[in-house]
Amino acid sequence: MAKEKSAIFIIFGGSGDLAHRKLYPALYRLYKAGILKDHFAVIGTARRPWSDDYFRETVVTSLEDLDDDKQKMEDFAKHFFYQSHNVNDSEHYIALKELAAKLDDQFEAGHNRVYYMAIAPRFFGTVAEHINSEGLKTEDGFNRLVIEKPFGRDLASASELNDDLSKAFPENEIYRIDHYLGKKMIQEIPNIRLKNPKFEKALNNKYVSNIQVTLGESLGVEDRGGYYETAGVLRDMVQNHIMQIIGSIAMDTPEELTAKAIHKVKTDLFSSLDVLEPEEVNKSFVRGQYDTDRLGKLNAYRDEDNVDDNSNIETYAAGKLEFNDERWSGVPFYVRSGKRMPAKSSRIDIVFNDKVSEFGVNPNTTVSLLIEPEEGHSILVNGIDYQSSNQDLIKFPEDKTYFDNAREAYESLIIDILSGDRVHFTLWDELQSTWKYIDVIREKWDSEDTDFPNYLSGTMGPEAADTLLERDGNSWVWDD
Ligand code: NAD
């Protein structure tokens, strides 16, 4: 039986999209699993003057696709309370503190607090500062601050944000969410490596030809054009999700599977990233922006709502990263992420060289770890389900349904937050290295004109992304 956790959650931005689409459904699943039961309450805060009853109605509505057990949903919603709040008003934090203390007594929540920033990033620092100055933090329970992406726009703004947060919360109380780290396949990578000694032994520059990480999306920017104009795929996907995925597959073997040991090897890996010189950027990275599709039916990016007619924001990026550590020196890591690709596909492809035959497998074997579209999931060896591939480079897990019962990413990350386990969260040291790497590319791109749009919707991106690999005698494993 799952062990019940206790806490008062204060969700800043409790009326917003993230809260309703991701957080409340995740909390409900934990409620159904008995991990949240009697000893928790959720305070939603936002500017609007909502009543508790109205807030609860919105919470129940956000669960409708999950369940038809109306009674269970209503019992769950009784743990929800609303507090109207403006981020700059000190009085509101005092009211929040009093409400949290009252609910803590009522639900016997053990003086534990989770402060969740489901609010615009420009407010993160202000809210953290007020939590501290108005004395919201408790003495005899835990205090954990959860931060959503984006964590800064570049190294300078990320450092400024981190300084602001650090005044209120020590690093070990900060949980920076990268929801890819909540996905089952990514979480399992250290375990897969541990349980497959041959695979682990082959995971280095002696046996690996190249590693490819793809986060492809079939959708365009939809109604998020305004946000996308401030981001671009380099900031939105590469700096965070792609880097963290590379961290999981390429980090050195940790001494043990603890947060401390795993973060140590990840931090070491990122600090060995070979930062490009500005003049190398366009040799190692390719950018793209989607046009209409072959039939001329879909909007080009520049025709989307809230997008500038001459926008130079990239909706596609592909690049070659290199590490100058002993394990990976000489091995290219090809990464790409794009909108309006032919299908949604998140995957890691590890292409071995001919020396891998020392392990009794075919030369040039490819192992693919498929992350999405289904949450989980498959491991392929040369494109075939590893269990029927007759290759024993990788053999985990035994049970074919292993990934099927995986918890959804937010559900899994909230359990970690309640348990004080930071293994699946991003540390500041890692972020500094990855921003430093991305900043050079961003600055170069921002200083130059482009010939956008340069790929049709529904295609694999600009041709230059293929040339990038062909120059090294390689090609993308996932190709339409
Ligand atoms: P949203 O605009 O839907 O919600 C923002 C919330 O902040 C609302 O509840 C709003 O009332 C509140 N708010 C705005 N101004 C306020 C003020 N002055 N004082 C108090 N409250 C105020 O935004 P969202 O999509 O839910 O995103 C929230 C955060 O999560 C952002 O940092 C975003 O980058 C991040 N995020 C969102 C998603 C997603 O899927 N929506 C995914 C990843 C990260």
Side-chain angles (χ1 to χ4, degrees):
M1 191 57 195
K3 192 169 176 316
E4 187 192 351
K5 306 281 183 201
S6 53
I8 303 294
F9 294 82
I10 302 180
I11 304 201
F12 296 93
S15 67
D17 174 70
L18 179 81
H20 283 83
R21 227 164 29 82
K22 295 288 181 187
L23 305 185
Y24 303 151
L27 292 172
Y28 183 60
R29 288 197 194 94
L30 296 180
Y31 183 69
K32 284 187 72 173
I35 293 169
L36 293 175
K37 200 170 166 212
D38 299 322
H39 303 291
F40 82 100
V42 180
I43 305 175
T45 79
R47 272 182 308 188
R48 297 170 203 184
W50 283 0
S51 65
D52 287 345
D53 282 345
Y54 182 76
F55 179 43
R56 288 172 188 169
E57 274 175 40
T58 72
V59 171
V60 170
T61 306
S62 75
L63 309 173
E64 274 169 356
D65 290 344
L66 286 185
D67 206 354
D68 44 22
D69 187 344
K70 203 87 189 136
Q71 189 57 51
K72 188 100 189 165
M73 294 193 276
E74 273 163 18
D75 290 347
F76 170 70
K78 285 187 189 135
H79 291 257
F80 282 67
F81 300 82
Y82 188 79
Q83 172 78 53
S84 170
H85 164 262
N86 190 315
V87 288
N88 290 309
D89 191 332
S90 299
E91 295 290 316
H92 288 174
Y93 292 89
I94 293 166
L96 260 182
K97 175 182 170 171
E98 286 166 2
L99 177 59
K102 186 179 129 211
L103 295 176
D104 205 321
D105 285 346
Q106 185 181 332
F107 289 96
E108 298 174 10
H111 310 286
N112 298 326
R113 299 283 184 276
V114 175
Y115 310 94
Y116 203 117
M117 302 280 192
I119 201 165
R122 65 181 183 284
F123 297 136
F124 291 168
T126 312
V127 172
E129 192 190 318
H130 278 90
I131 289 172
N132 200 33
S133 61
E134 308 312 329
L136 267 77
K137 291 175 78 176
T138 59
E139 296 287 321
D140 41 4
F142 64 65
N143 290 277
R144 295 177 185 152
L145 178 74
V146 186
I147 298 280
E148 275 289 342
K149 82 168 193 185
F151 199 92
R153 296 179 44 75
D154 49 24
L155 181 56
S157 58
S159 301
E160 204 176 304
L161 170 59
N162 205 57
D163 288 349
D164 288 348
L165 299 182
S166 315
K167 286 179 203 141
F169 288 86
E171 173 71 17
N172 66 4
E173 289 181 350
I174 302 178
Y175 290 70
R176 296 181 195 82
I177 296 248
D178 183 317
H179 72 273
Y180 273 79
L181 293 180
K183 292 184 188 288
K184 181 73 170 170
M185 178 57 91
I186 307 294
Q187 295 198 338
E188 279 303 319
I189 288 174
N191 212 9
I192 290 172
R193 291 176 54 178
L194 182 78
K195 295 218 166 138
N196 286 279
K198 277 191 194 177
F199 178 64
E200 178 67 10
K201 230 174 150 186
L203 217 45
N204 55 57
N205 53 8
K206 184 169 176 202
Y207 301 102
V208 174
S209 155
N210 66 86
I211 293 187
Q212 306 178 9
V213 177
T214 300
L215 300 184
E217 296 178 278
S218 55
L219 294 177
V221 290
E222 309 305 295
D223 57 0
R224 303 189 73 215
Y227 159 73
Y228 213 75
E229 282 285 276
T230 67
V233 76
L234 197 63
R235 285 196 178 103
D236 198 43
M237 304 296 278
V238 182
Q239 182 273 331
N240 37 42
H241 310 316
I242 285 192
M243 289 291 192
Q244 285 298 325
I245 292 172
I246 291 180
S248 306
I249 196 71
M251 66 185 182
D252 231 329
T253 318
E255 277 177 19
E256 49 185 4
L257 294 189
T258 58
K260 196 169 169 209
I262 289 181
H263 280 304
K264 170 160 189 341
V265 285
K266 257 194 192 174
T267 307
D268 288 349
L269 175 79
F270 291 133
S271 63
S272 75
L273 255 173
D274 194 2
V275 178
L276 300 171
E277 295 297 330
E279 60 275 15
E280 294 171 318
V281 167
N282 291 329
K283 275 185 229 133
S284 296
F285 269 78
V286 168
R287 57 177 158 163
Q289 186 191 77
Y290 63 79
D291 201 342
T292 181
D293 59 332
R294 285 190 180 97
L295 300 174
K297 288 201 164 156
L298 296 172
N299 271 346
Y301 176 71
R302 286 178 176 179
D303 297 330
E304 301 280 21
D305 288 346
N306 301 318
V307 169
D308 189 306
D309 290 348
N310 298 308
S311 174
N312 278 335
I313 286 293
E314 79 289 350
T315 61
Y316 178 99
K320 171 166 124 175
L321 286 80
E322 289 175 284
F323 294 93
N324 47 33
D325 65 347
E326 217 176 297
R327 188 177 188 123
W328 293 112
S329 155
V331 176
F333 284 70
Y334 301 114
V335 302
R336 63 181 162 170
S337 181
K339 293 200 175 284
R340 290 270 177 83
M341 292 181 72
K344 182 172 176 66
S345 179
S346 306
R347 56 190 289 154
I348 307 170
D349 298 291
I350 303 152
V351 184
F352 291 94
N353 60 25
D354 49 4
K355 293 204 189 74
V356 79
S357 52
E358 286 175 24
F359 294 98
V361 299
N362 291 339
N364 312 111
T365 285
T366 299
V367 172
S368 305
L369 308 179
L370 306 190
I371 304 159
E372 280 172 330
E374 295 95 45
E375 190 89 71
H377 267 119
S378 312
I379 301 173
L380 307 180
V381 181
N382 295 328
I384 304 169
D385 178 357
Y386 72 103
Q387 277 159 324
S388 47
S389 68
N390 275 334
Q391 303 267 346
D392 64 352
L393 188 61
I394 188 158
K395 278 241 173 297
F396 171 88
E398 291 293 312
D399 176 6
K400 262 187 178 266
T401 63
Y402 183 81
F403 286 119
D404 296 345
N405 305 321
R407 289 187 192 281
E408 182 274 334
Y410 272 94
E411 193 186 339
S412 157
L413 293 172
I414 293 171
I415 295 179
D416 289 346
I417 294 162
L418 292 168
S419 313
D421 185 351
R422 294 171 76 231
V423 70
H424 300 123
F425 297 84
T426 312
L427 299 199
W428 173 235
D429 287 347
E430 301 164 15
L431 276 172
Q432 284 186 85
S433 302
T434 54
W435 270 127
K436 200 168 146 198
Y437 186 86
I438 293 297
D439 277 359
V440 179
I441 306 167
R442 187 73 269 163
E443 279 166 27
K444 176 78 175 163
W445 284 356
D446 287 346
S447 72
E448 289 178 343
D449 274 344
T450 58
D451 57 352
F452 285 167
N454 62 351
Y455 72 98
L456 282 176
S457 288
T459 67
M460 294 301 285
E463 268 177 38
D466 293 338
T467 319
L468 181 75
L469 277 68
E470 281 159 13
R471 277 204 304 263
D472 300 338
N474 295 319
S475 57
W476 293 108
V477 174
W478 181 56
D479 200 4
D480 192 36

